[in-house]
Amino acid sequence: MRLDLVVKNGKVVTESDTFTADIGIKGKKIVKIAQEIDDDAEETIDAKGKYVMPGVIDAHTHLHMPFMGSHSVDNYKTGTIAAACGGVTSVIDYDVQQEGETLHEAVERKKKTAFDQGVAIDFSLHPGVTQWGQETIDEIPDLIKNGVPSFKVFTVYGAWQVKNETLLKLLDVTKRYGGLVNVHAENDDIIQMLNKKFEEEGTLDPLHHALSHPPEAEKEAVERLINLTNYMDSRLYIVHLSSKMGLEAIKHAQTQGTNIMCETCPQYLFLSTDNFKEPNFEGAKYVMSPPPREKEDQEALWTGLKFGFVKTIATDHCPFNFNKEKQNGKDDYKKIPNGAPGIETSLMLMYSEGVAKGRITINDLVRIMCTNPAKIFGMQDKGSIAIGKDADIVVYDPDAKWTMSIDKLHMNVDYTPYEGMPITGKPEVTISKGRVVARDGEFVGDTKWGEFVKRHLDY
Ligand code: DUC
Ligand code: ZN
Ligand code: ZN
């Protein structure tokens, strides 16, 4: 068979195995995996000494999202170019329903934005439910049928804050039709009470953002969500889990049989409250909700990842420039747009600090960044190296040594929270559906290449 691309001699990694093999690609698919492929091919990539792993699925991004008076500053074009350079081959973006908009309209609006701006890799959407009428609930079966099976709600953020009544209806309809509810879990009353206290005391620096979002607020919301999920005999996915307390509640619920899953993000493994104390307002760079916490929380989350209580790593990529949008909160942390960049750096951080330092194996990394996101969110053609899957592949150099710096990255933002961090390993080639889209840290793809992926949950 004449092939389009062969990746030769690499160490192929799946969630369960690592083996030396050649991979044959025809069109957008993996068509052959063998000890040796000697078919003719348009192009051959020699991956000797490199890992050949599935492309990362970042199941939590906010591209061009209107939020706190600005838009997150990576649009679909810049964000997906950066993603490709970082070894990411699919994103599932959060798309919040605007006032008066149906969920169907929200999905179509965001798809149009993506195709108008340009999108370099495949994408899908989790619509955020913010309009509470029964008509919104009634839209859900049709969306699930048409490939949009996961829905986001927030327990915080003013008008976006979900009522228990809506949540119960969402748990019910997603259970009946094969969907999933994703939740940002923090207790808003605790946060508002502390905001008021710090306002009265005049302590409005970035550190007080972290102090106004204590781990108890996460724990309370997580426990409530567990109770509601149990009561409805449904299932639920908690996004960006940040605390040991929240994780303890989830672990307990999982061992009791509750179908509750959670993701965490690199920022909760690598950053801490100390970052908020950086001088010259630099703490604003880390203002996100929930905030990074303490060493013991980081350690608990690593253990949770290792042993499967935390199912996925995603980034919550929601960048704002330090020298621009973040300055809106110079005098009041509540006006600092919440969010940080991460779409390009997650694989490099997780490899360097996770695999190279022995906290997780390379197979664990593939499970939490590729295979589990594909399974949980219903991307059946993605997430593993197997015949018939989309040829979404990263050739990863495990030995590269370099220093993280915004100058070397492609995200459309003026900082990375990980500036100066020594890094081991680097993506050498990123292949999206059979086509090389990034090589040696540079984008070589096409921003018309990304397609909208219809998803179906089969569990
Ligand atoms: N948290 C953030 O920090 N940014 C975007 C939305 C969110 O929940
Ligand atoms: Zn959130
Ligand atoms: Zn988010």
mmCIF file of all heavy atoms in Angstrom, residues 417-458:
data_model
loop_
_atom_site.group_PDB
_atom_site.id
_atom_site.type_symbol
_atom_site.label_atom_id
_atom_site.label_comp_id
_atom_site.label_asym_id
_atom_site.label_seq_id
_atom_site.Cartn_x
_atom_site.Cartn_y
_atom_site.Cartn_z
ATOM 1 N N PRO A 417 3.031 31.783 33.259
ATOM 2 C CA PRO A 417 3.245 31.643 34.707
ATOM 3 C C PRO A 417 4.501 30.827 35.025
ATOM 4 O O PRO A 417 4.935 30.796 36.167
ATOM 5 C CB PRO A 417 2.004 30.890 35.192
ATOM 6 C CG PRO A 417 0.996 31.009 34.106
ATOM 7 C CD PRO A 417 1.751 31.191 32.823
ATOM 8 N N TYR A 418 5.086 30.176 34.002
ATOM 9 C CA TYR A 418 6.190 29.240 34.239
ATOM 10 C C TYR A 418 7.523 29.779 33.721
ATOM 11 O O TYR A 418 8.458 29.008 33.470
ATOM 12 C CB TYR A 418 5.841 27.885 33.602
ATOM 13 C CG TYR A 418 4.444 27.455 33.979
ATOM 14 C CD1 TYR A 418 3.381 27.585 33.073
ATOM 15 C CD2 TYR A 418 4.157 27.004 35.266
ATOM 16 C CE1 TYR A 418 2.087 27.247 33.429
ATOM 17 C CE2 TYR A 418 2.855 26.668 35.633
ATOM 18 C CZ TYR A 418 1.835 26.792 34.714
ATOM 19 O OH TYR A 418 0.546 26.470 35.080
ATOM 20 N N GLU A 419 7.604 31.093 33.545
ATOM 21 C CA GLU A 419 8.822 31.737 33.036
ATOM 22 C C GLU A 419 10.039 31.276 33.842
ATOM 23 O O GLU A 419 10.020 31.264 35.078
ATOM 24 C CB GLU A 419 8.660 33.264 33.155
ATOM 25 C CG GLU A 419 9.740 34.092 32.512
ATOM 26 C CD GLU A 419 9.693 34.061 30.982
ATOM 27 O OE1 GLU A 419 8.596 33.982 30.406
ATOM 28 O OE2 GLU A 419 10.784 34.101 30.380
ATOM 29 N N GLY A 420 11.088 30.871 33.126
ATOM 30 C CA GLY A 420 12.345 30.518 33.801
ATOM 31 C C GLY A 420 12.412 29.084 34.300
ATOM 32 O O GLY A 420 13.452 28.659 34.829
ATOM 33 N N MET A 421 11.357 28.330 34.125
ATOM 34 C CA MET A 421 11.359 26.948 34.649
ATOM 35 C C MET A 421 12.221 26.056 33.746
ATOM 36 O O MET A 421 12.063 26.069 32.521
ATOM 37 C CB MET A 421 9.909 26.453 34.641
ATOM 38 C CG MET A 421 9.641 25.303 35.521
ATOM 39 S SD MET A 421 7.833 25.245 35.767
ATOM 40 C CE MET A 421 7.690 23.540 36.150
ATOM 41 N N PRO A 422 13.153 25.284 34.310
ATOM 42 C CA PRO A 422 13.923 24.343 33.482
ATOM 43 C C PRO A 422 13.023 23.193 33.039
ATOM 44 O O PRO A 422 12.298 22.634 33.852
ATOM 45 C CB PRO A 422 15.031 23.842 34.421
ATOM 46 C CG PRO A 422 14.679 24.305 35.781
ATOM 47 C CD PRO A 422 13.503 25.223 35.733
ATOM 48 N N ILE A 423 13.099 22.880 31.750
ATOM 49 C CA ILE A 423 12.188 21.862 31.192
ATOM 50 C C ILE A 423 12.998 20.762 30.512
ATOM 51 O O ILE A 423 13.948 21.036 29.780
ATOM 52 C CB ILE A 423 11.232 22.492 30.144
ATOM 53 C CG1 ILE A 423 10.401 23.630 30.752
ATOM 54 C CG2 ILE A 423 10.335 21.437 29.494
ATOM 55 C CD1 ILE A 423 9.284 23.216 31.667
ATOM 56 N N THR A 424 12.592 19.532 30.762
ATOM 57 C CA THR A 424 13.141 18.381 30.043
ATOM 58 C C THR A 424 12.077 17.895 29.074
ATOM 59 O O THR A 424 10.939 17.659 29.485
ATOM 60 C CB THR A 424 13.477 17.243 31.034
ATOM 61 O OG1 THR A 424 14.430 17.736 31.963
ATOM 62 C CG2 THR A 424 14.037 16.020 30.329
ATOM 63 N N GLY A 425 12.471 17.752 27.793
ATOM 64 C CA GLY A 425 11.547 17.210 26.799
ATOM 65 C C GLY A 425 10.839 18.311 26.018
ATOM 66 O O GLY A 425 10.658 19.418 26.512
ATOM 67 N N LYS A 426 10.459 17.938 24.790
ATOM 68 C CA LYS A 426 9.856 18.921 23.882
ATOM 69 C C LYS A 426 9.142 18.197 22.737
ATOM 70 O O LYS A 426 9.666 17.208 22.229
ATOM 71 C CB LYS A 426 11.000 19.739 23.277
ATOM 72 C CG LYS A 426 10.655 21.153 22.954
ATOM 73 C CD LYS A 426 11.900 21.863 22.481
ATOM 74 C CE LYS A 426 11.665 23.350 22.515
ATOM 75 N NZ LYS A 426 12.783 24.116 22.101
ATOM 76 N N PRO A 427 7.987 18.701 22.296
ATOM 77 C CA PRO A 427 7.401 18.090 21.105
ATOM 78 C C PRO A 427 8.248 18.431 19.885
ATOM 79 O O PRO A 427 8.619 19.591 19.710
ATOM 80 C CB PRO A 427 6.011 18.734 20.991
ATOM 81 C CG PRO A 427 5.921 19.773 22.031
ATOM 82 C CD PRO A 427 7.171 19.780 22.847
ATOM 83 N N GLU A 428 8.569 17.415 19.087
ATOM 84 C CA GLU A 428 9.403 17.668 17.910
ATOM 85 C C GLU A 428 8.522 17.827 16.669
ATOM 86 O O GLU A 428 8.744 18.726 15.861
ATOM 87 C CB GLU A 428 10.358 16.485 17.723
ATOM 88 C CG GLU A 428 11.503 16.793 16.812
ATOM 89 C CD GLU A 428 12.552 15.696 16.892
ATOM 90 O OE1 GLU A 428 13.453 15.789 17.751
ATOM 91 O OE2 GLU A 428 12.449 14.735 16.111
ATOM 92 N N VAL A 429 7.515 16.958 16.579
ATOM 93 C CA VAL A 429 6.579 17.041 15.451
ATOM 94 C C VAL A 429 5.169 16.812 15.999
ATOM 95 O O VAL A 429 4.949 15.909 16.799
ATOM 96 C CB VAL A 429 6.871 15.941 14.391
ATOM 97 C CG1 VAL A 429 5.899 16.031 13.228
ATOM 98 C CG2 VAL A 429 8.304 16.015 13.890
ATOM 99 N N THR A 430 4.230 17.647 15.559
ATOM 100 C CA THR A 430 2.817 17.400 15.878
ATOM 101 C C THR A 430 2.092 17.107 14.574
ATOM 102 O O THR A 430 2.206 17.879 13.610
ATOM 103 C CB THR A 430 2.168 18.625 16.557
ATOM 104 O OG1 THR A 430 2.948 18.999 17.691
ATOM 105 C CG2 THR A 430 0.744 18.328 17.000
ATOM 106 N N ILE A 431 1.362 15.994 14.561
ATOM 107 C CA ILE A 431 0.629 15.579 13.363
ATOM 108 C C ILE A 431 -0.865 15.621 13.699
ATOM 109 O O ILE A 431 -1.300 15.034 14.693
ATOM 110 C CB ILE A 431 1.038 14.140 12.959
ATOM 111 C CG1 ILE A 431 2.546 14.092 12.663
ATOM 112 C CG2 ILE A 431 0.228 13.651 11.767
ATOM 113 C CD1 ILE A 431 3.106 12.672 12.564
ATOM 114 N N SER A 432 -1.618 16.364 12.908
ATOM 115 C CA SER A 432 -3.069 16.423 13.096
ATOM 116 C C SER A 432 -3.723 15.784 11.883
ATOM 117 O O SER A 432 -3.517 16.253 10.756
ATOM 118 C CB SER A 432 -3.500 17.887 13.223
ATOM 119 O OG SER A 432 -4.853 18.055 12.865
ATOM 120 N N LYS A 433 -4.446 14.700 12.095
ATOM 121 C CA LYS A 433 -5.131 13.966 11.013
ATOM 122 C C LYS A 433 -4.197 13.749 9.817
ATOM 123 O O LYS A 433 -4.524 14.078 8.678
ATOM 124 C CB LYS A 433 -6.385 14.724 10.583
ATOM 125 C CG LYS A 433 -7.448 14.791 11.668
ATOM 126 C CD LYS A 433 -8.629 15.643 11.250
ATOM 127 C CE LYS A 433 -8.211 17.058 10.992
ATOM 128 N NZ LYS A 433 -9.323 17.941 10.625
ATOM 129 N N GLY A 434 -3.014 13.230 10.128
ATOM 130 C CA GLY A 434 -2.091 12.821 9.068
ATOM 131 C C GLY A 434 -1.221 13.923 8.513
ATOM 132 O O GLY A 434 -0.360 13.661 7.673
ATOM 133 N N ARG A 435 -1.408 15.129 8.968
ATOM 134 C CA ARG A 435 -0.672 16.242 8.387
ATOM 135 C C ARG A 435 0.233 16.860 9.452
ATOM 136 O O ARG A 435 -0.219 17.116 10.576
ATOM 137 C CB ARG A 435 -1.705 17.258 7.921
ATOM 138 C CG ARG A 435 -1.120 18.479 7.352
ATOM 139 C CD ARG A 435 -2.224 19.337 6.770
ATOM 140 N NE ARG A 435 -1.611 20.532 6.239
ATOM 141 C CZ ARG A 435 -2.221 21.384 5.458
ATOM 142 N NH1 ARG A 435 -3.467 21.180 5.108
ATOM 143 N NH2 ARG A 435 -1.592 22.448 5.026
ATOM 144 N N VAL A 436 1.479 17.104 9.095
ATOM 145 C CA VAL A 436 2.392 17.742 10.062
ATOM 146 C C VAL A 436 1.952 19.194 10.226
ATOM 147 O O VAL A 436 1.887 19.952 9.257
ATOM 148 C CB VAL A 436 3.859 17.672 9.569
ATOM 149 C CG1 VAL A 436 4.772 18.457 10.512
ATOM 150 C CG2 VAL A 436 4.318 16.214 9.472
ATOM 151 N N VAL A 437 1.630 19.576 11.474
ATOM 152 C CA VAL A 437 1.156 20.950 11.713
ATOM 153 C C VAL A 437 2.161 21.766 12.534
ATOM 154 O O VAL A 437 2.094 22.993 12.543
ATOM 155 C CB VAL A 437 -0.240 20.982 12.374
ATOM 156 C CG1 VAL A 437 -1.298 20.474 11.411
ATOM 157 C CG2 VAL A 437 -0.279 20.190 13.668
ATOM 158 N N ALA A 438 3.073 21.091 13.221
ATOM 159 C CA ALA A 438 4.130 21.824 13.927
ATOM 160 C C ALA A 438 5.389 20.973 13.894
ATOM 161 O O ALA A 438 5.334 19.741 13.993
ATOM 162 C CB ALA A 438 3.735 22.130 15.364
ATOM 163 N N ARG A 439 6.527 21.660 13.729
ATOM 164 C CA ARG A 439 7.807 20.957 13.655
ATOM 165 C C ARG A 439 8.847 21.829 14.338
ATOM 166 O O ARG A 439 8.895 23.037 14.096
ATOM 167 C CB ARG A 439 8.171 20.758 12.183
ATOM 168 C CG ARG A 439 9.177 19.648 11.929
ATOM 169 C CD ARG A 439 9.642 19.670 10.485
ATOM 170 N NE ARG A 439 8.665 19.215 9.521
ATOM 171 C CZ ARG A 439 8.504 17.949 9.109
ATOM 172 N NH1 ARG A 439 9.235 16.990 9.606
ATOM 173 N NH2 ARG A 439 7.616 17.655 8.199
ATOM 174 N N ASP A 440 9.632 21.208 15.221
ATOM 175 C CA ASP A 440 10.693 21.927 15.935
ATOM 176 C C ASP A 440 10.198 23.250 16.530
ATOM 177 O O ASP A 440 10.833 24.299 16.388
ATOM 178 C CB ASP A 440 11.876 22.203 14.999
ATOM 179 C CG ASP A 440 12.486 20.896 14.519
ATOM 180 O OD1 ASP A 440 12.483 19.927 15.309
ATOM 181 O OD2 ASP A 440 12.930 20.824 13.358
ATOM 182 N N GLY A 441 9.031 23.203 17.124
ATOM 183 C CA GLY A 441 8.534 24.383 17.837
ATOM 184 C C GLY A 441 7.935 25.446 16.955
ATOM 185 O O GLY A 441 7.591 26.522 17.439
ATOM 186 N N GLU A 442 7.768 25.174 15.648
ATOM 187 C CA GLU A 442 7.143 26.191 14.790
ATOM 188 C C GLU A 442 5.909 25.624 14.108
ATOM 189 O O GLU A 442 5.869 24.452 13.730
ATOM 190 C CB GLU A 442 8.130 26.699 13.733
ATOM 191 C CG GLU A 442 9.227 27.603 14.293
ATOM 192 C CD GLU A 442 8.717 28.708 15.236
ATOM 193 O OE1 GLU A 442 7.637 29.292 14.974
ATOM 194 O OE2 GLU A 442 9.378 28.970 16.261
ATOM 195 N N PHE A 443 4.923 26.462 13.925
ATOM 196 C CA PHE A 443 3.688 26.055 13.263
ATOM 197 C C PHE A 443 3.922 25.946 11.760
ATOM 198 O O PHE A 443 4.423 26.892 11.138
ATOM 199 C CB PHE A 443 2.591 27.078 13.556
ATOM 200 C CG PHE A 443 1.279 26.732 12.931
ATOM 201 C CD1 PHE A 443 0.570 25.606 13.336
ATOM 202 C CD2 PHE A 443 0.741 27.520 11.925
ATOM 203 C CE1 PHE A 443 -0.648 25.272 12.745
ATOM 204 C CE2 PHE A 443 -0.474 27.198 11.333
ATOM 205 C CZ PHE A 443 -1.167 26.076 11.752
ATOM 206 N N VAL A 444 3.585 24.808 11.170
ATOM 207 C CA VAL A 444 3.757 24.634 9.720
ATOM 208 C C VAL A 444 2.439 24.165 9.091
ATOM 209 O O VAL A 444 2.432 23.646 7.979
ATOM 210 C CB VAL A 444 4.903 23.636 9.398
ATOM 211 C CG1 VAL A 444 6.247 24.163 9.852
ATOM 212 C CG2 VAL A 444 4.639 22.254 10.033
ATOM 213 N N GLY A 445 1.338 24.335 9.841
ATOM 214 C CA GLY A 445 0.046 23.842 9.367
ATOM 215 C C GLY A 445 -0.745 24.907 8.644
ATOM 216 O O GLY A 445 -0.198 25.832 8.051
ATOM 217 N N ASP A 446 -2.054 24.756 8.741
ATOM 218 C CA ASP A 446 -2.969 25.601 7.975
ATOM 219 C C ASP A 446 -4.152 25.893 8.908
ATOM 220 O O ASP A 446 -4.715 24.965 9.505
ATOM 221 C CB ASP A 446 -3.397 24.761 6.754
ATOM 222 C CG ASP A 446 -4.494 25.398 5.946
ATOM 223 O OD1 ASP A 446 -5.030 26.431 6.356
ATOM 224 O OD2 ASP A 446 -4.828 24.819 4.893
ATOM 225 N N THR A 447 -4.516 27.145 9.028
ATOM 226 C CA THR A 447 -5.587 27.468 9.986
ATOM 227 C C THR A 447 -6.984 27.209 9.392
ATOM 228 O O THR A 447 -7.978 27.614 9.968
ATOM 229 C CB THR A 447 -5.460 28.925 10.486
ATOM 230 O OG1 THR A 447 -5.401 29.783 9.352
ATOM 231 C CG2 THR A 447 -4.219 29.092 11.337
ATOM 232 N N LYS A 448 -7.013 26.510 8.279
ATOM 233 C CA LYS A 448 -8.304 26.023 7.779
ATOM 234 C C LYS A 448 -8.393 24.492 7.954
ATOM 235 O O LYS A 448 -9.300 23.844 7.429
ATOM 236 C CB LYS A 448 -8.477 26.378 6.292
ATOM 237 C CG LYS A 448 -8.583 27.871 6.050
ATOM 238 C CD LYS A 448 -9.383 28.156 4.797
ATOM 239 C CE LYS A 448 -9.691 29.605 4.536
ATOM 240 N NZ LYS A 448 -9.462 30.566 5.597
ATOM 241 N N TRP A 449 -7.449 23.926 8.659
ATOM 242 C CA TRP A 449 -7.368 22.466 8.772
ATOM 243 C C TRP A 449 -8.315 21.896 9.843
ATOM 244 O O TRP A 449 -8.805 20.780 9.745
ATOM 245 C CB TRP A 449 -5.921 22.073 9.081
ATOM 246 C CG TRP A 449 -5.661 20.597 9.106
ATOM 247 C CD1 TRP A 449 -5.211 19.867 10.167
ATOM 248 C CD2 TRP A 449 -5.816 19.674 8.015
ATOM 249 N NE1 TRP A 449 -5.067 18.549 9.813
ATOM 250 C CE2 TRP A 449 -5.436 18.404 8.488
ATOM 251 C CE3 TRP A 449 -6.246 19.801 6.694
ATOM 252 C CZ2 TRP A 449 -5.465 17.272 7.697
ATOM 253 C CZ3 TRP A 449 -6.274 18.657 5.889
ATOM 254 C CH2 TRP A 449 -5.881 17.421 6.400
ATOM 255 N N GLY A 450 -8.584 22.669 10.889
ATOM 256 C CA GLY A 450 -9.374 22.147 12.007
ATOM 257 C C GLY A 450 -10.834 21.946 11.622
ATOM 258 O O GLY A 450 -11.412 22.752 10.901
ATOM 259 N N GLU A 451 -11.406 20.850 12.120
ATOM 260 C CA GLU A 451 -12.824 20.567 11.866
ATOM 261 C C GLU A 451 -13.565 20.482 13.195
ATOM 262 O O GLU A 451 -12.969 20.208 14.238
ATOM 263 C CB GLU A 451 -12.967 19.219 11.141
ATOM 264 C CG GLU A 451 -12.414 19.224 9.731
ATOM 265 C CD GLU A 451 -12.418 17.832 9.129
ATOM 266 O OE1 GLU A 451 -11.510 17.031 9.474
ATOM 267 O OE2 GLU A 451 -13.313 17.532 8.327
ATOM 268 N N PHE A 452 -14.864 20.671 13.114
ATOM 269 C CA PHE A 452 -15.694 20.508 14.304
ATOM 270 C C PHE A 452 -15.943 19.018 14.525
ATOM 271 O O PHE A 452 -16.377 18.322 13.601
ATOM 272 C CB PHE A 452 -17.021 21.248 14.121
ATOM 273 C CG PHE A 452 -17.916 21.122 15.308
ATOM 274 C CD1 PHE A 452 -17.639 21.826 16.478
ATOM 275 C CD2 PHE A 452 -19.010 20.273 15.291
ATOM 276 C CE1 PHE A 452 -18.449 21.698 17.598
ATOM 277 C CE2 PHE A 452 -19.830 20.140 16.414
ATOM 278 C CZ PHE A 452 -19.545 20.862 17.562
ATOM 279 N N VAL A 453 -15.648 18.536 15.720
ATOM 280 C CA VAL A 453 -15.795 17.101 16.009
ATOM 281 C C VAL A 453 -17.119 16.858 16.724
ATOM 282 O O VAL A 453 -17.364 17.417 17.799
ATOM 283 C CB VAL A 453 -14.635 16.601 16.904
ATOM 284 C CG1 VAL A 453 -14.797 15.115 17.233
ATOM 285 C CG2 VAL A 453 -13.297 16.857 16.239
ATOM 286 N N LYS A 454 -17.957 16.036 16.128
ATOM 287 C CA LYS A 454 -19.187 15.617 16.802
ATOM 288 C C LYS A 454 -18.835 14.509 17.773
ATOM 289 O O LYS A 454 -18.092 13.595 17.414
ATOM 290 C CB LYS A 454 -20.206 15.116 15.787
ATOM 291 C CG LYS A 454 -20.765 16.227 14.936
ATOM 292 C CD LYS A 454 -21.945 15.723 14.143
ATOM 293 C CE LYS A 454 -22.581 16.889 13.405
ATOM 294 N NZ LYS A 454 -23.834 16.512 12.774
ATOM 295 N N ARG A 455 -19.370 14.614 18.969
ATOM 296 C CA ARG A 455 -18.997 13.641 20.007
ATOM 297 C C ARG A 455 -20.216 12.840 20.453
ATOM 298 O O ARG A 455 -21.344 13.342 20.421
ATOM 299 C CB ARG A 455 -18.397 14.383 21.214
ATOM 300 C CG ARG A 455 -17.153 15.156 20.870
ATOM 301 C CD ARG A 455 -16.579 15.895 22.066
ATOM 302 N NE ARG A 455 -17.339 17.066 22.433
ATOM 303 C CZ ARG A 455 -17.972 17.259 23.582
ATOM 304 N NH1 ARG A 455 -17.956 16.309 24.514
ATOM 305 N NH2 ARG A 455 -18.641 18.365 23.834
ATOM 306 N N HIS A 456 -19.957 11.593 20.884
ATOM 307 C CA HIS A 456 -21.033 10.739 21.411
ATOM 308 C C HIS A 456 -20.496 9.967 22.602
ATOM 309 O O HIS A 456 -19.464 9.317 22.494
ATOM 310 C CB HIS A 456 -21.531 9.765 20.325
ATOM 311 C CG HIS A 456 -22.137 10.495 19.171
ATOM 312 N ND1 HIS A 456 -23.403 10.987 19.198
ATOM 313 C CD2 HIS A 456 -21.601 10.863 17.985
ATOM 314 C CE1 HIS A 456 -23.654 11.632 18.075
ATOM 315 N NE2 HIS A 456 -22.564 11.572 17.317
ATOM 316 N N LEU A 457 -21.182 10.072 23.714
ATOM 317 C CA LEU A 457 -20.713 9.352 24.905
ATOM 318 C C LEU A 457 -21.226 7.912 24.818
ATOM 319 O O LEU A 457 -22.414 7.693 24.606
ATOM 320 C CB LEU A 457 -21.238 10.020 26.171
ATOM 321 C CG LEU A 457 -21.006 11.530 26.285
ATOM 322 C CD1 LEU A 457 -21.320 12.008 27.697
ATOM 323 C CD2 LEU A 457 -19.578 11.912 25.914
ATOM 324 N N ASP A 458 -20.286 6.956 24.980
ATOM 325 C CA ASP A 458 -20.732 5.550 24.839
ATOM 326 C C ASP A 458 -20.555 4.812 26.157
ATOM 327 O O ASP A 458 -20.222 3.640 26.177
ATOM 328 C CB ASP A 458 -19.983 4.868 23.684
ATOM 329 C CG ASP A 458 -18.470 4.979 23.809
ATOM 330 O OD1 ASP A 458 -17.996 5.417 24.882
ATOM 331 O OD2 ASP A 458 -17.765 4.633 22.844
#
